[in-house]
Amino acid sequence: MTATGDAPLIVHPVRGRIDRGEVAFGITVRLAWSGEIARIARVTGHDFIYIDAQHGVLNVESIAMLIQCALLSGIAPIVRVRSADDPDISRHLDAGALGIVVPDVESAAEARRAVEATKYLPVGKRSIGGMSVHLDYRTMMSREFTDVSNASTLLICMIESPEGLSNVEAIGAMDGVDGLYLGMGDMLLTSAKYGGRVDSPDMLADLERVITVARRNGKFVGCGGPSTVPQQVDFIRRGVQFLTTQSDIAAVLHAMSGRIGQIRELM
């Protein structure tokens, strides 16, 4: 990600944290349409916004605006898309997204399609759309451009089902995949063995399996599902480096319910 000299062409807050062995924290964005959420994320110590285009109702234009605000705020815009075949992947990346999260990846073939959609040749098959917002529209040789862009575009595959877990070794070994993400919420729905708990022994064993595979292949691990601070800290200590602290919806609910509770108590 460097040009001639030592100045980075693209500064990536999440990649930088992870490469230093640290943890990157983000806020899940589903409710906030204003770019102020990016500034709020930054001033509260977060490294990225996790724009949820799978379960959220934001359109492409609104997501592009959030991406621009994140870039200008010095944090990374990461977009969770609908699938490896989501036709908007290239549009989010061209708008400035620094990472794509693909949900419910269950096979190496799906992981490969995700790579092809998010990375340029020779890693993937993403089409070049012209000058890049990441580079402030500077021009450069095509191969240098694609190499820099590939290194700066995170592809994170979510493991959310027994099928995905059974194929995690093949998914984790896929060239072009940068991280694995255990989606604990959906995992809880797939099997009674977890007892509805993200901190059950079976869930923790599955997390350890994903971490082992990721480390073997030089990738990082994220997870979604733990909602309490002690759970999140425990998973970080186990090796998770990519974590959303909460969603914008949860933050609003928590703050508003806490405030009204204090008012009623004082009354």
Side-chain angles (χ1 to χ4, degrees):
M1 287 196 298
T2 59
T4 55
D6 297 323
L9 282 172
I10 300 176
V11 176
H12 200 306
V14 172
R15 173 71 80 180
R17 286 275 190 199
I18 290 171
D19 287 348
R20 294 191 298 271
E22 300 169 357
V23 181
F25 293 105
I27 293 177
T28 300
V29 177
R30 292 181 187 167
L31 175 69
W33 290 61
S34 169
E36 290 172 301
I37 190 64
R39 297 177 65 86
I40 291 170
R42 177 180 60 80
V43 300
T44 53
H46 292 81
D47 305 292
F48 65 94
I49 55 173
Y50 183 97
I51 305 168
D52 192 353
Q54 180 190 19
H55 294 298
V57 297
L58 294 166
N59 59 31
V60 174
E61 291 80 8
S62 298
I63 291 172
M65 182 271 295
L66 289 172
I67 288 171
Q68 293 297 314
C69 291
L71 293 174
L72 291 171
S73 298
I75 63 173
I78 308 291
V79 182
R80 177 164 69 174
V81 297
R82 290 166 288 177
S83 72
D85 303 308
D86 189 332
D88 289 331
I89 289 176
S90 63
R91 300 178 74 187
H92 297 319
L93 292 173
D94 288 343
L98 287 172
I100 294 293
V101 178
V102 178
D104 199 22
V105 177
E106 295 187 329
S107 67
E110 280 186 80
R112 183 60 203 163
R113 294 202 304 275
V115 171
E116 291 175 350
T118 57
K119 307 280 185 169
Y120 293 116
L121 288 170
V123 182
K125 295 182 178 180
R126 179 183 165 195
S127 173
I128 294 180
M131 292 181 289
S132 170
V133 63
H134 304 99
L135 300 169
D136 293 328
Y137 306 104
R138 287 171 288 179
T139 58
M140 63 176 58
M141 298 298 291
S142 294
R143 185 54 187 269
E144 182 184 11
F145 170 79
T146 56
D147 286 348
V148 168
S149 297
N150 282 346
S152 302
T153 301
L154 295 180
L155 171 59
I156 304 167
C157 289
M158 295 188 72
I159 308 298
E160 303 185 88
S161 68
E163 292 81 2
L165 195 61
S166 67
N167 291 316
V168 67
E169 284 81 5
I171 296 168
M174 182 65 60
D175 185 30
V177 173
D178 299 287
L180 301 176
Y181 188 109
L182 185 62
M184 296 178 173
D186 279 319
M187 291 294 291
L188 292 178
L189 300 176
T190 65
S191 176
K193 73 175 185 178
Y194 301 119
R197 293 172 44 211
V198 297
D199 58 351
S200 69
D202 284 315
M203 184 67 78
L204 294 177
D206 288 341
L207 176 62
E208 292 293 341
R209 179 182 176 186
V210 173
I211 291 172
T212 298
V213 170
R215 286 176 173 169
R216 186 187 307 137
N217 291 281
K219 307 182 192 306
F220 64 87
V221 172
C223 73
S227 58
T228 70
V229 170
Q231 288 173 344
Q232 292 175 344
V233 171
D234 177 56
F235 292 161
I236 289 168
R237 288 173 175 163
R238 292 173 185 272
V240 169
Q241 288 185 273
F242 181 89
L243 186 74
T244 53
T245 55
Q246 60 186 330
S247 69
D248 52 3
I249 297 175
V252 170
L253 283 171
H254 179 76
M256 293 180 71
S257 61
R259 176 60 61 93
I260 195 67
Q262 291 178 30
I263 292 172
R264 293 187 183 282
E265 182 178 351
L266 291 174
M267 288 172 61

